[in-house]
Amino acid sequence: MASRPVATRPDDMRRLNRARVLAALRRAGQASRNELARDTALSAASISTITGELIDEGLVVTANGDEARRAGSTRGRPRVTLTPASSAASLACLSLQFGSLGIRLVDYRGEVLHAENTNCLTLELTEDTLIEAMNGLVDRALAAAGARAGPLQGVVIGVAGVIDLEGTTIQWAPSLSIRDVPVSVRLEKVLDVPVRLWNDCDLMAEALHGEGFAGGSDFGTLLLSRGVGMALRLRGQLVNGLASSGVEFGHIPVHPDGALCRCGNYGCVEAYAGDYAMARRAAGLSCRTAPVPIGEVRELASIGEQAAAGNADALAALSEAGEAVGYGLAAIFSLVDPFPLMIVGLDDVLRERLTQSIRATLRKTLAGKAVADDLVIDGRPDPGPLVHRGAALSGLTALDRTLLASPPPIDKAAGGEAA
């Protein structure tokens, strides 16, 4: 029996359409009403009504005259371009990494008002001092931005580690010696705004999706740094665990009884592809040597330099790291179709050597041999900008939903100018 169609209430449809318009405008940065009608497939009359409401509510403004003239035709009346109102709100985007805390304070358009990174001994932080440090960063950013910042409406925090599905608690992070830290609850009491935690790789995937990497569809984001992290976007959605944010790619066992991993087990992908693992192998140490963080990215770069000079241990470190990643990818490809891959955290020289080893390993596997040579593998050396862009994108999208939750009365007249 055919299912009955589900009726949509007028208020629900208006809310959805308002969200579509604001989302299209945020993607474009600025657009005319005609462009919004094209991008959303809504009628010109609906666009005029919705944008008028958004202008009256202070969420959207017309771009300045110079921008409007540049966007418009060379003859006749220039188009009126619209953009999110920068002063409508501000959002604090924090990043917790090993040894550092960073912040980007952005306005409602997503423009950065203040950026700051601080080095700190994260392993020595207690729950109280962690919250104090985060609160201090937000306070300094707001003070530095001054009148340019709209009211703080939310905080998004990217963490290299495992987050609960609700985005409230750091269950585990290699940068911290404490576990199960209720950051959201603690920080919300201090700042009186919503606080959401994200796994940093998930935020990188959000940023790459916004940029249109791999056509904005299915892809994987692989972070090779102090550990090995991964985010997957499949069928248009981020893939998470049943109870946490974790896609624990780094702890897929690829060589049983192999190298010692930081997690205490043997043969994990990370035991070969984490920074400490590559440094251990490049130094000629036993694969059972206890993992020790190597500290600086430049030390990884030195492995690439040693490999280029023909150092056998450095070459083996990169080859074995790529092999471990290749076998890990083949295991996932056995469950889902192969997907493009963005490798984050390595410079071009290191990534190219790793990629060669990844492709060579995939050729040895049933799931990978058909795509080994043509698989899209790209890279970004610095995870920081991606984490902050993903935090801004996800946070502003959530803020849009909150601000649009109470639409104006249906008989409200449209405001603003015609397209």
Side-chain angles (χ1 to χ4, degrees), residues 228-249:
V228 174
M230 175 174 275
L232 287 178
R233 279 192 70 93
L234 299 178
R235 298 182 179 178
Q237 300 289 332
L238 280 171
V239 176
N240 289 128
L242 294 177
S244 72
S245 63
V247 175
E248 292 294 346
F249 178 80

Side-chain angles (χ1 to χ4, degrees), residues 53-97:
E53 292 171 354
L54 296 175
I55 290 171
D56 289 345
E57 294 163 36
L59 300 182
V60 168
V61 296
T62 56
N64 65 44
D66 288 340
E67 289 173 333
R69 282 191 290 274
R70 284 196 296 271
S73 169
T74 56
R75 294 186 299 171
R77 183 183 178 188
R79 292 180 299 176
V80 174
T81 55
L82 305 174
T83 186
S86 59
S87 62
S90 61
L91 178 76
C93 305
L94 277 67
S95 173
L96 172 64
Q97 303 291 325

